[in-house]
Amino acid sequence: MPTLAHASGPMWCCGGIRWTVSGPLDGTMEVWLEPVLDGAVIHYFLHCEPAGVPPERVAGLDLAAMNRTRRVQGKVMTFEVKQRLEAGRPAGEPPRH
C-alpha cells in the first residue's frame, strides 16, 4: 500500500508473505498468489487499526470510508502489478519470465 511502511521483515505464512506495517495504520498485511489457468490471482489482506487514535475516538471515525479507500488503493496496486507482468503477452500464452 502506498502510504504504509514495512516495519519488519517478511514472514512466510499461508503460502504467502506477511509483513508488519506502520504509517497511517498499524498492523499486518498478507499477500499470496493463487495459480489460475495461465496466470495467478493476487490476494491481499490488510489487518490494521488507525495509528495514533485513542480507543475512545475510534468509534467517531468513518471506518467504512477508510476501509473503502484502502480497498481501492489495493486494487490499483494489484492491477499495476498485473499490467507490468503481462505487458505484451497475449492471453493464454505462457509468461516470458
Side-chain angles (χ1 to χ4, degrees), residues 2-50:
T3 59
L4 299 178
H6 297 159
S8 69
M11 300 166 278
W12 294 96
C13 70
C14 315
I17 302 175
R18 177 186 298 157
W19 289 275
T20 301
V21 295
S22 64
L25 303 174
D26 288 326
T28 60
M29 181 172 182
E30 299 173 19
V31 177
W32 65 99
L33 300 177
E34 174 188 359
V36 177
L37 300 175
D38 65 326
V41 174
I42 299 174
H43 296 275
Y44 58 92
F45 179 74
L46 185 63
H47 182 80
C48 294
E49 300 292 334

Side-chain angles (χ1 to χ4, degrees), residues 28 40 44 48 51 54 56 58 69 72-73 76-77 81 85:
T28 60
Y44 58 92
C48 294
E56 62 274 6
V58 171
T69 296
V72 169
Q73 289 174 340
V76 168
M77 175 192 65
V81 170
L85 293 176

